[in-house]
Amino acid sequence: MKRASSMILATMMAATLCAGCGNSNQGTAGTQATTTAAPESTAPKADDAESAPTETEGEKTKGDLKAAFITPQALGDGSVTDLSYSGFTKAAEEFGMETQVVEVQVGEYEETLRSMAQEGYGLLICLQPELVDAVCTVAPEYPDILFFSMNGEINDIPNVLGSANKEQEGSYLAGVAAALMSETGKIGAVIGQDMAQNNRYAAGYEDGAKAARPDIEVSILYAGTFEDPAKGKELALTLYNSGYDVVYQVAAKTGLGVFEAAKELGEGHYVVGCDVDQSPLLPGQVIGSQITPYDTWVYAAMKDYGEGKFTGGRTEAFSMNRTDGAGFDFDSTGKITYKDGVKEAVEDSKSKIMSGEIVPESVREKDK
Amino acid sequence: MNIALLIQAAMRYSAPVLLAAVGALFCDCAGVTFIILEAQMLLGCFFAVIAGYYFQSWAAGVLCAVLASILLGWFFVWITMKMKAIELVVGFAINFLIDGLTIYLLRMVFHQTGSFVSPEIPAIPRITVPVLSQIPLIGNLFYQQTWIVYFAFLSVLIAAVLIYHTSFGLHILSSGANPEAAKAVGIHIGQTRIQCIMIASVLCGLAGSQLSIGFLSMFSEGMTVGKGFIALGALMFSNRKPALVLFITLLFGFAEAIGNQVQLSGTIASELVLMIPYLAVLACVFVKKPIPEQI
């Protein structure tokens, strides 16, 4: 019995070694996660599918297009990764591209990029600043392969297109809305990590809040992790119990804890969502969400690749101007009653940002 | 610094860690290196949410969490006792296994990835102990926590009595201290160790369900974030004394809670504040060296 069990176990262990040799999954288009409202609403309309160009110079024929989607954060976060993926699949379907999805672990970034390049994928969509170093190392080795660094700033490598978010713009509008909706005059935010990119959200939020209501008190708390909803809930409870009635969450899974805290404390405790419309998560308590149309970014890069118009060597700044004013969405469930003037103030700030009259802060006071 | 909130937050954080630590205490006294606390908690988290969602009852959730942890405990027993594998190695392997398993099951069963949030997941109701919660400062210990949290603190007392004041406890201690002598006297150390592992499994299952449907009402991949290992850490410093286990776990809980409040006051840089819990661990090292053979 013992020998038989050992043999079985040993065989199972050997079998798992073959697990990496099969075809990787293609993933499903979009996501059924309850944590997000339809990301499709922010992607371009389906009509564009018919107008795929047929005669641009250098355009690849259908069979040639292969694109890979490489992400350090797993699909299913209901936010950034899923949204980017929806843009990816939309373009892939439109142009008939062969696709591959890889969720990479730390330490495997370069190998994965190299193996994708060697397998003939013409465009590698690499998500998040974590992959920037790997892209900078690997891209020059494969000058004929195109790289798109989503949320990573890379200049001067001819086959790499970087992208930068202007999260402070949408966050500015979030700050305006939060400050004007707050009854107590105190608003807060729970941020994932104390780092430059995350702090742009915080800086814009503080800037917008103070502009809308100079006597507002703003408190920013850092969780130190994106994976711990319990911590997010504790931080949010600390804020709510100290009189802060609106909390902006910028912390992925940790941020889900903020919704839990608001749900537990009930009416009068508001949340501002991040990156996607999160009002369906807690109808009646989400006054709006900052929007980053990652799907538009990825779609734009894929479209350029499909049409042969991809130009690298620079970083594209996806400001509100570039994405048709996507930056902040109000509650979509209809359960929030906005105070007089809130929506107008937000729209007004939005047009001023797009015209350049207002330039939201991207660096927090403490870091200057 | 709001003391009331501090106490409540510290209790909430400490409870799952304390349950796991008490379970590990039983095992450690019996001579078992019970390293799969993290895995059992995570499994408990997951099954509490699944069962709670499908049966629309938090009780079903807690029950399933405990059953799942017991099953995992049996697996551990089989591999380490029947198959004579090394506990440390097997333990780490199981931790990885369960992390992956919960992610896989989440996708298979719920077709979700990352996390599962739904208004239909029932939460364990909160209880406020009637008279005791009115006492000025101490009353906060009895305010709005789930029964699992109260039980966690009670379990320390139960462990102290069981281990150090009953014959069952004597069996446990002798199985750990001198297995050969115990066998010679006729104590069935295998059975004793299995019983301890089962106790630990039940406690970890409770800890997991407290984390996912007691404090929150959701499941998130890897949501235990190392609490099982923190429990082991607390055990290492405790010299097998239940009172010290309680003290150290509460210390960690307060460190976390204080950290949050300090961040709010804005006086210290956030990076330093987030270090506070780890500084607490270091402080423990300086006060008392952890005894290597305990883990």
Side-chain angles (χ1 to χ4, degrees), chain A residues 234-317:
Chain A
E234 284 291 355
L235 286 172
L237 284 175
T238 310
L239 283 169
Y240 286 129
N241 285 322
S242 309
Y244 293 78
D245 61 348
V246 185
V247 176
Y248 181 27
Q249 76 86 357
V250 182
K253 286 198 214 131
T254 305
L256 290 174
V258 176
F259 290 93
E260 289 276 335
K263 183 162 94 174
E264 187 173 300
L265 293 173
E267 254 192 71
H269 299 94
Y270 298 109
V271 187
V272 180
C274 178
D275 283 339
V276 297
D277 175 19
Q278 295 188 302
S279 47
L281 279 181
L282 200 58
Q285 287 178 257
V286 181
I287 60 172
S289 310
Q290 180 267 340
I291 301 289
T292 306
Y294 292 111
D295 53 344
T296 312
W297 301 13
V298 175
Y299 180 82
M302 296 275 280
K303 183 159 186 266
D304 284 350
Y305 166 63
E307 295 172 1
K309 294 198 272 193
F310 191 97
T311 37
R314 64 198 173 96
T315 296
E316 175 102 48

Coordinates of all heavy atoms in Angstrom, one line a residue, chain A residues 234-317:
Chain A
E234 N -9.7 48.2 7.4 CA -9.3 48.8 8.7 C -8.9 50.3 8.5 O -9.3 51.2 9.3 CB -8.1 48.1 9.3 CG -8.3 46.8 9.9 CD -9.1 46.9 11.2 OE1 -9.3 48.1 11.7 OE2 -9.4 45.9 11.8
L235 N -8.2 50.6 7.4 CA -7.8 52.0 7.1 C -9.1 52.8 6.8 O -9.2 53.9 7.3 CB -6.9 52.1 5.9 CG -5.5 51.6 6.2 CD1 -4.7 51.5 4.9 CD2 -4.8 52.5 7.1
A236 N -10.0 52.3 6.1 CA -11.2 53.0 5.8 C -12.1 53.2 7.1 O -12.6 54.3 7.3 CB -12.1 52.3 4.8
L237 N -12.1 52.2 7.9 CA -12.8 52.4 9.2 C -12.2 53.5 10.0 O -12.9 54.3 10.7 CB -12.9 51.1 10.0 CG -13.8 50.0 9.5 CD1 -13.7 48.7 10.3 CD2 -15.3 50.5 9.6
T238 N -10.8 53.5 10.0 CA -10.1 54.5 10.8 C -10.6 55.9 10.3 O -10.8 56.8 11.1 CB -8.6 54.4 10.6 OG1 -8.2 53.0 10.9 CG2 -7.9 55.3 11.5
L239 N -10.7 56.0 9.0 CA -11.1 57.3 8.4 C -12.5 57.6 8.7 O -12.8 58.7 9.3 CB -10.9 57.3 6.9 CG -9.5 57.5 6.4 CD1 -9.4 57.2 4.9 CD2 -9.0 58.9 6.6
Y240 N -13.4 56.7 8.4 CA -14.8 57.0 8.6 C -15.1 57.3 10.1 O -15.9 58.2 10.4 CB -15.7 55.8 8.2 CG -15.8 55.6 6.7 CD1 -15.6 54.4 6.1 CD2 -16.2 56.7 5.9 CE1 -15.7 54.2 4.7 CE2 -16.4 56.5 4.5 CZ -16.1 55.3 3.9 OH -16.2 55.1 2.6
N241 N -14.5 56.5 11.0 CA -14.8 56.7 12.4 C -14.1 58.0 13.0 O -14.4 58.4 14.1 CB -14.3 55.5 13.2 CG -15.2 54.3 13.1 OD1 -16.4 54.5 13.0 ND2 -14.6 53.1 13.0
S242 N -13.3 58.6 12.2 CA -12.7 59.9 12.6 C -13.4 61.1 11.9 O -12.8 62.2 11.9 CB -11.2 59.9 12.3 OG -10.6 58.8 12.9
G243 N -14.5 60.8 11.3 CA -15.3 61.9 10.7 C -15.1 62.2 9.3 O -15.6 63.2 8.7
Y244 N -14.3 61.3 8.6 CA -14.2 61.5 7.2 C -15.3 60.8 6.5 O -15.5 59.6 6.6 CB -12.8 61.0 6.7 CG -11.6 61.7 7.3 CD1 -11.2 61.5 8.6 CD2 -10.9 62.7 6.5 CE1 -10.2 62.2 9.1 CE2 -9.9 63.3 7.1 CZ -9.5 63.1 8.4 OH -8.4 63.8 8.9
D245 N -16.1 61.5 5.7 CA -17.2 60.8 5.1 C -17.1 60.4 3.7 O -18.0 59.7 3.1 CB -18.5 61.6 5.4 CG -18.5 63.0 4.7 OD1 -17.5 63.4 4.2 OD2 -19.6 63.6 4.6
V246 N -16.1 60.8 3.0 CA -15.9 60.3 1.6 C -14.5 59.7 1.5 O -13.5 60.4 1.9 CB -16.0 61.4 0.6 CG1 -15.9 60.9 -0.8 CG2 -17.3 62.2 0.7
V247 N -14.3 58.5 1.0 CA -13.0 57.9 0.9 C -12.8 57.4 -0.5 O -13.6 56.7 -1.1 CB -12.8 56.7 1.9 CG1 -11.5 56.0 1.7 CG2 -13.0 57.2 3.3
Y248 N -11.6 57.9 -1.1 CA -11.3 57.5 -2.4 C -10.4 56.3 -2.4 O -9.4 56.3 -1.6 CB -10.5 58.7 -3.0 CG -10.0 58.7 -4.4 CD1 -10.6 57.9 -5.4 CD2 -8.9 59.5 -4.8 CE1 -10.1 57.9 -6.7 CE2 -8.4 59.4 -6.1 CZ -9.0 58.6 -7.1 OH -8.6 58.6 -8.4
Q249 N -10.7 55.2 -3.1 CA -9.9 54.1 -3.0 C -9.0 53.9 -4.2 O -9.5 54.0 -5.3 CB -10.7 52.8 -2.7 CG -11.4 52.2 -3.9 CD -10.6 51.3 -4.8 OE1 -9.4 51.1 -4.5 NE2 -11.2 50.7 -5.8
V250 N -7.7 53.8 -4.0 CA -6.7 53.6 -5.1 C -5.9 52.5 -4.7 O -4.7 52.6 -4.5 CB -5.9 54.9 -5.3 CG1 -4.9 54.8 -6.5 CG2 -6.7 56.1 -5.5
A251 N -6.5 51.3 -4.6 CA -5.6 50.2 -4.0 C -6.1 48.8 -4.5 O -5.8 47.9 -3.8 CB -5.7 50.2 -2.5
A252 N -6.6 48.7 -5.6 CA -7.0 47.4 -6.2 C -7.7 46.5 -5.2 O -8.7 46.9 -4.7 CB -5.8 46.7 -6.8
K253 N -7.2 45.3 -4.9 CA -7.9 44.4 -4.0 C -8.0 45.0 -2.6 O -9.0 44.8 -1.9 CB -7.2 43.0 -3.9 CG -7.4 42.2 -5.2 CD -7.1 40.8 -4.9 CE -6.5 40.1 -6.1 NZ -5.3 39.4 -5.8
T254 N -6.9 45.6 -2.1 CA -7.0 46.3 -0.8 C -8.2 47.3 -0.8 O -8.9 47.4 0.2 CB -5.7 47.0 -0.5 OG1 -4.6 46.1 -0.7 CG2 -5.7 47.6 0.8
G255 N -8.4 47.9 -1.9 CA -9.4 48.9 -2.0 C -10.8 48.3 -1.9 O -11.8 49.0 -1.5
L256 N -11.0 47.0 -2.2 CA -12.3 46.4 -2.0 C -12.7 46.5 -0.5 O -13.9 46.5 -0.2 CB -12.3 45.0 -2.5 CG -12.1 44.8 -4.0 CD1 -12.0 43.3 -4.3 CD2 -13.3 45.3 -4.7
G257 N -11.7 46.5 0.4 CA -12.0 46.6 1.8 C -12.7 47.9 2.1 O -13.5 48.0 3.0
V258 N -12.4 49.0 1.3 CA -13.0 50.3 1.6 C -14.5 50.2 1.4 O -15.3 50.7 2.1 CB -12.4 51.4 0.7 CG1 -13.1 52.7 0.8 CG2 -10.9 51.5 0.9
F259 N -14.9 49.5 0.3 CA -16.3 49.3 0.0 C -17.0 48.5 1.2 O -18.1 48.8 1.6 CB -16.6 48.5 -1.3 CG -16.2 49.3 -2.5 CD1 -14.9 49.3 -3.1 CD2 -17.1 50.2 -3.1 CE1 -14.6 50.0 -4.2 CE2 -16.8 50.9 -4.2 CZ -15.6 50.9 -4.8
E260 N -16.3 47.5 1.7 CA -16.8 46.7 2.8 C -17.0 47.6 4.0 O -18.1 47.5 4.7 CB -15.8 45.7 3.2 CG -15.6 44.5 2.3 CD -16.7 43.5 2.5 OE1 -17.2 43.4 3.6 OE2 -17.0 42.7 1.5
A261 N -16.1 48.5 4.3 CA -16.2 49.4 5.4 C -17.4 50.3 5.2 O -18.3 50.5 6.2 CB -15.0 50.3 5.6
A262 N -17.6 50.9 4.0 CA -18.7 51.8 3.8 C -20.0 51.0 3.9 O -21.0 51.6 4.4 CB -18.6 52.4 2.4
K263 N -20.0 49.8 3.4 CA -21.2 49.0 3.5 C -21.6 48.7 4.9 O -22.8 48.9 5.3 CB -21.0 47.6 2.8 CG -22.2 46.7 2.8 CD -22.1 45.7 1.7 CE -21.5 44.4 2.3 NZ -21.5 43.3 1.4
E264 N -20.6 48.5 5.8 CA -20.9 48.2 7.2 C -21.4 49.4 7.9 O -22.3 49.3 8.7 CB -19.6 47.7 7.8 CG -19.8 47.2 9.2 CD -18.5 46.5 9.8 OE1 -18.1 45.6 9.2 OE2 -18.0 47.0 10.8
L265 N -20.9 50.5 7.6 CA -21.3 51.7 8.4 C -22.5 52.3 7.8 O -23.2 53.1 8.5 CB -20.1 52.8 8.4 CG -18.9 52.3 9.2 CD1 -17.8 53.3 9.0 CD2 -19.3 52.2 10.6
G266 N -22.9 52.0 6.6 CA -24.1 52.4 6.0 C -24.2 53.8 5.4 O -23.2 54.3 5.0
E267 N -25.4 54.3 5.2 CA -25.6 55.5 4.5 C -24.8 56.7 5.1 O -24.5 56.7 6.3 CB -27.1 55.9 4.7 CG -27.9 55.7 3.5 CD -29.3 56.4 3.7 OE1 -29.3 57.6 3.7 OE2 -30.2 55.6 3.8
G268 N -24.4 57.6 4.2 CA -23.7 58.7 4.7 C -22.2 58.5 4.6 O -21.4 59.4 4.8
H269 N -21.8 57.3 4.3 CA -20.4 57.0 4.2 C -20.1 56.7 2.7 O -20.6 55.7 2.2 CB -19.9 55.8 5.1 CG -20.2 56.1 6.5 ND1 -21.3 55.8 7.2 CD2 -19.4 56.8 7.4 CE1 -21.2 56.2 8.4 NE2 -20.1 56.8 8.6
Y270 N -19.4 57.6 2.0 CA -19.2 57.5 0.6 C -17.9 57.0 0.2 O -16.9 57.1 0.9 CB -19.5 58.8 -0.1 CG -20.9 59.3 0.2 CD1 -21.2 60.4 1.0 CD2 -22.0 58.7 -0.4 CE1 -22.5 60.8 1.3 CE2 -23.3 59.1 -0.2 CZ -23.5 60.2 0.7 OH -24.8 60.6 0.9
V271 N -17.9 56.4 -1.0 CA -16.6 55.9 -1.6 C -16.5 56.5 -3.0 O -17.5 56.8 -3.7 CB -16.7 54.4 -1.8 CG1 -15.3 53.8 -2.2 CG2 -17.1 53.7 -0.5
V272 N -15.2 56.8 -3.4 CA -15.0 57.1 -4.8 C -14.2 56.0 -5.4 O -13.2 55.6 -4.9 CB -14.2 58.4 -4.9 CG1 -14.0 58.8 -6.4 CG2 -14.9 59.6 -4.2
G273 N -14.7 55.5 -6.5 CA -14.0 54.3 -7.2 C -12.8 54.7 -8.0 O -12.4 55.9 -8.1
C274 N -12.1 53.7 -8.5 CA -10.8 54.0 -9.2 C -10.7 53.2 -10.4 O -11.0 52.0 -10.5 CB -9.7 53.6 -8.2 SG -8.1 53.8 -8.9
D275 N -10.3 53.8 -11.5 CA -10.0 53.2 -12.8 C -11.2 52.8 -13.6 O -11.2 52.8 -14.8 CB -9.0 52.0 -12.7 CG -7.6 52.5 -12.4 OD1 -7.3 53.7 -12.8 OD2 -6.8 51.7 -11.9
V276 N -12.2 52.2 -13.0 CA -13.4 51.8 -13.7 C -14.6 52.2 -12.9 O -14.5 52.6 -11.7 CB -13.5 50.2 -13.9 CG1 -12.4 49.7 -14.7 CG2 -13.5 49.6 -12.5
D277 N -15.8 52.2 -13.5 CA -17.0 52.6 -12.8 C -17.3 51.6 -11.7 O -17.7 50.5 -12.0 CB -18.1 52.7 -13.8 CG -19.4 53.0 -13.1 OD1 -19.4 53.5 -11.9 OD2 -20.5 52.8 -13.7
Q278 N -17.1 51.9 -10.5 CA -17.4 51.0 -9.4 C -18.7 51.2 -8.6 O -18.9 50.7 -7.5 CB -16.2 51.0 -8.4 CG -14.9 50.4 -9.1 CD -13.7 50.2 -8.2 OE1 -13.3 51.1 -7.5 NE2 -13.2 49.0 -8.1
S279 N -19.5 52.1 -9.2 CA -20.8 52.3 -8.4 C -21.7 51.1 -8.3 O -22.4 51.0 -7.3 CB -21.5 53.5 -9.0 OG -21.6 53.4 -10.4
P280 N -21.7 50.1 -9.2 CA -22.5 49.0 -9.0 C -22.1 48.1 -7.8 O -22.9 47.3 -7.3 CB -22.4 48.1 -10.2 CG -21.9 49.1 -11.3 CD -21.1 50.1 -10.6
L281 N -20.9 48.3 -7.3 CA -20.4 47.5 -6.1 C -21.2 47.9 -4.9 O -21.3 47.1 -4.0 CB -18.9 47.8 -5.9 CG -17.9 47.1 -6.7 CD1 -16.5 47.4 -6.3 CD2 -18.1 45.6 -6.6
L282 N -21.6 49.1 -4.8 CA -22.3 49.6 -3.5 C -23.3 50.7 -3.9 O -23.0 51.9 -3.6 CB -21.2 50.1 -2.6 CG -21.6 50.2 -1.1 CD1 -22.0 48.8 -0.6 CD2 -20.4 50.7 -0.3
P283 N -24.4 50.3 -4.5 CA -25.3 51.4 -5.0 C -25.8 52.3 -3.9 O -26.1 51.8 -2.8 CB -26.5 50.5 -5.6 CG -26.0 49.2 -5.8 CD -24.9 49.0 -4.8
G284 N -25.7 53.6 -4.2 CA -26.2 54.6 -3.2 C -25.0 55.1 -2.4 O -25.2 56.1 -1.7
Q285 N -23.9 54.5 -2.5 CA -22.8 55.0 -1.6 C -21.5 55.4 -2.4 O -20.5 55.7 -1.9 CB -22.4 54.1 -0.5 CG -23.5 54.0 0.6 CD -23.2 53.0 1.7 OE1 -23.7 52.0 1.7 NE2 -22.2 53.4 2.5
V286 N -21.6 55.2 -3.8 CA -20.4 55.5 -4.6 C -20.7 56.8 -5.4 O -21.5 56.8 -6.3 CB -20.0 54.4 -5.5 CG1 -18.8 54.7 -6.3 CG2 -19.8 53.1 -4.7
I287 N -20.1 57.9 -5.0 CA -20.5 59.2 -5.7 C -19.9 59.3 -7.0 O -20.2 60.2 -7.8 CB -20.1 60.4 -4.8 CG1 -18.6 60.4 -4.6 CG2 -20.8 60.4 -3.5 CD1 -18.2 61.7 -3.9
G288 N -19.0 58.4 -7.4 CA -18.4 58.4 -8.7 C -17.1 57.7 -8.8 O -16.7 57.1 -7.7
S289 N -16.5 57.6 -9.9 CA -15.3 56.8 -10.0 C -14.3 57.5 -11.0 O -14.7 58.0 -12.0 CB -15.5 55.4 -10.6 OG -16.5 54.8 -9.9
Q290 N -13.1 57.6 -10.6 CA -12.0 58.1 -11.5 C -11.9 57.0 -12.6 O -12.0 55.8 -12.4 CB -10.7 58.2 -10.8 CG -9.6 58.7 -11.6 CD -8.7 57.6 -12.1 OE1 -8.8 56.5 -11.6 NE2 -8.0 57.9 -13.2
I291 N -11.8 57.4 -13.9 CA -11.8 56.5 -15.0 C -10.4 56.6 -15.7 O -10.0 57.7 -16.0 CB -12.9 56.8 -16.0 CG1 -14.2 56.7 -15.4 CG2 -12.8 55.9 -17.2 CD1 -14.7 55.4 -15.0
T292 N -9.8 55.5 -15.9 CA -8.6 55.4 -16.7 C -8.9 54.5 -17.9 O -9.0 53.3 -17.7 CB -7.4 54.9 -16.0 OG1 -7.2 55.7 -14.8 CG2 -6.1 55.1 -16.9
P293 N -9.1 55.0 -19.1 CA -9.6 54.1 -20.2 C -8.4 53.3 -20.7 O -8.0 53.5 -21.9 CB -10.1 55.1 -21.2 CG -9.4 56.3 -21.0 CD -9.0 56.4 -19.5
Y294 N -7.9 52.4 -19.9 CA -6.8 51.5 -20.3 C -7.2 50.8 -21.6 O -6.3 50.5 -22.4 CB -6.4 50.5 -19.2 CG -5.8 51.1 -18.0 CD1 -6.5 51.2 -16.8 CD2 -4.5 51.7 -18.1 CE1 -5.9 51.7 -15.7 CE2 -3.9 52.3 -16.9 CZ -4.6 52.3 -15.8 OH -4.1 52.8 -14.6
D295 N -8.4 50.4 -21.7 CA -8.8 49.7 -22.9 C -8.6 50.5 -24.2 O -8.2 50.0 -25.2 CB -10.3 49.2 -22.8 CG -11.2 50.3 -22.5 OD1 -10.8 51.4 -22.1 OD2 -12.4 50.1 -22.7
T296 N -8.9 51.9 -24.1 CA -8.6 52.7 -25.2 C -7.1 52.8 -25.6 O -6.8 52.8 -26.7 CB -9.1 54.2 -24.9 OG1 -10.4 54.1 -24.3 CG2 -9.1 55.1 -26.1
W297 N -6.3 52.8 -24.5 CA -4.8 52.8 -24.8 C -4.4 51.6 -25.6 O -3.7 51.7 -26.6 CB -4.1 52.8 -23.5 CG -4.3 53.9 -22.5 CD1 -5.3 54.8 -22.5 CD2 -3.5 54.2 -21.4 NE1 -5.2 55.7 -21.4 CE2 -4.1 55.3 -20.7 CE3 -2.3 53.6 -20.9 CZ2 -3.5 55.8 -19.6 CZ3 -1.8 54.1 -19.7 CH2 -2.4 55.2 -19.1
V298 N -4.8 50.4 -25.0 CA -4.3 49.2 -25.6 C -4.9 49.0 -27.0 O -4.2 48.6 -27.9 CB -4.7 48.0 -24.7 CG1 -4.3 46.7 -25.4 CG2 -4.0 48.1 -23.4
Y299 N -6.1 49.4 -27.1 CA -6.8 49.3 -28.4 C -6.1 50.2 -29.4 O -5.8 49.8 -30.6 CB -8.3 49.8 -28.3 CG -9.0 49.7 -29.6 CD1 -9.5 48.5 -30.1 CD2 -9.2 50.9 -30.4 CE1 -10.2 48.5 -31.3 CE2 -9.8 50.8 -31.6 CZ -10.3 49.6 -32.1 OH -11.0 49.6 -33.3
A300 N -5.7 51.4 -29.0 CA -5.0 52.3 -29.9 C -3.7 51.7 -30.4 O -3.3 51.8 -31.6 CB -4.7 53.7 -29.2
A301 N -2.9 51.1 -29.4 CA -1.6 50.5 -29.8 C -1.8 49.3 -30.8 O -1.1 49.2 -31.8 CB -0.9 50.0 -28.6
M302 N -2.8 48.5 -30.4 CA -3.1 47.3 -31.3 C -3.6 47.8 -32.7 O -3.2 47.2 -33.7 CB -4.2 46.5 -30.6 CG -3.9 45.8 -29.3 SD -3.0 44.3 -29.5 CE -4.3 43.2 -29.8
K303 N -4.4 48.8 -32.7 CA -4.9 49.3 -34.0 C -3.8 49.8 -34.8 O -3.7 49.5 -36.0 CB -5.9 50.4 -33.7 CG -6.6 51.0 -34.9 CD -7.9 51.7 -34.5 CE -8.7 52.2 -35.7 NZ -8.4 53.5 -36.1
D304 N -2.8 50.5 -34.2 CA -1.7 51.0 -35.0 C -0.9 49.9 -35.5 O -0.4 49.9 -36.7 CB -0.8 51.9 -34.1 CG -1.4 53.3 -33.9 OD1 -2.4 53.6 -34.5 OD2 -0.9 54.0 -33.0
Y305 N -0.7 48.9 -34.7 CA 0.0 47.7 -35.2 C -0.7 47.0 -36.4 O -0.1 46.7 -37.4 CB 0.2 46.7 -34.0 CG 0.6 45.3 -34.4 CD1 1.9 45.1 -34.9 CD2 -0.2 44.2 -34.1 CE1 2.3 43.8 -35.2 CE2 0.3 42.9 -34.4 CZ 1.5 42.7 -34.9 OH 1.9 41.4 -35.2
G306 N -2.0 46.9 -36.2 CA -2.8 46.2 -37.2 C -2.8 47.0 -38.5 O -2.8 46.4 -39.6
E307 N -2.7 48.3 -38.4 CA -2.7 49.2 -39.6 C -1.3 49.5 -40.1 O -1.2 50.2 -41.1 CB -3.5 50.4 -39.3 CG -5.0 50.2 -39.0 CD -5.7 51.5 -38.5 OE1 -5.0 52.5 -38.4 OE2 -6.8 51.4 -38.2
G308 N -0.4 49.0 -39.4 CA 1.0 49.3 -39.8 C 1.5 50.7 -39.5 O 2.5 51.2 -40.0
K309 N 0.8 51.4 -38.6 CA 1.1 52.7 -38.3 C 1.8 52.9 -36.9 O 2.0 54.0 -36.4 CB -0.1 53.6 -38.3 CG -0.8 53.7 -39.6 CD -1.8 54.8 -39.6 CE -3.2 54.4 -39.1 NZ -4.3 55.2 -39.3
F310 N 2.3 51.8 -36.4 CA 2.9 51.9 -35.0 C 4.2 52.7 -35.1 O 5.1 52.4 -35.8 CB 3.2 50.4 -34.6 CG 3.5 50.3 -33.1 CD1 2.5 50.0 -32.2 CD2 4.8 50.5 -32.7 CE1 2.9 49.8 -30.9 CE2 5.1 50.4 -31.3 CZ 4.2 50.0 -30.4
T311 N 4.2 53.7 -34.2 CA 5.5 54.5 -34.1 C 5.9 54.4 -32.7 O 5.2 54.9 -31.8 CB 5.3 55.9 -34.6 OG1 4.0 56.4 -34.1 CG2 5.4 56.1 -36.1
G312 N 7.1 53.9 -32.5 CA 7.7 53.8 -31.2 C 8.6 55.0 -30.9 O 8.6 56.0 -31.5
G313 N 9.5 54.7 -29.9 CA 10.5 55.7 -29.6 C 10.0 56.9 -28.8 O 10.7 57.9 -28.7
R314 N 8.8 56.8 -28.3 CA 8.3 57.9 -27.5 C 7.3 57.4 -26.5 O 7.0 56.2 -26.4 CB 7.5 58.8 -28.5 CG 6.3 58.2 -29.1 CD 5.8 58.8 -30.3 NE 4.7 58.0 -30.8 CZ 3.4 58.1 -30.6 NH1 3.0 59.1 -29.9 NH2 2.6 57.3 -31.1
T315 N 6.9 58.3 -25.6 CA 5.8 58.0 -24.6 C 4.6 58.8 -24.9 O 4.6 60.0 -25.0 CB 6.3 58.3 -23.2 OG1 7.4 57.5 -22.9 CG2 5.2 58.0 -22.2
E316 N 3.5 58.1 -25.1 CA 2.2 58.8 -25.4 C 1.6 59.1 -24.1 O 1.4 58.3 -23.2 CB 1.3 57.8 -26.2 CG 0.0 58.3 -26.5 CD -0.2 58.8 -27.9 OE1 0.2 58.0 -28.8 OE2 -0.8 59.8 -28.1
A317 N 1.2 60.4 -23.9 CA 0.6 60.8 -22.7 C -0.9 60.8 -22.9 O -1.5 61.6 -23.7 CB 1.0 62.2 -22.3

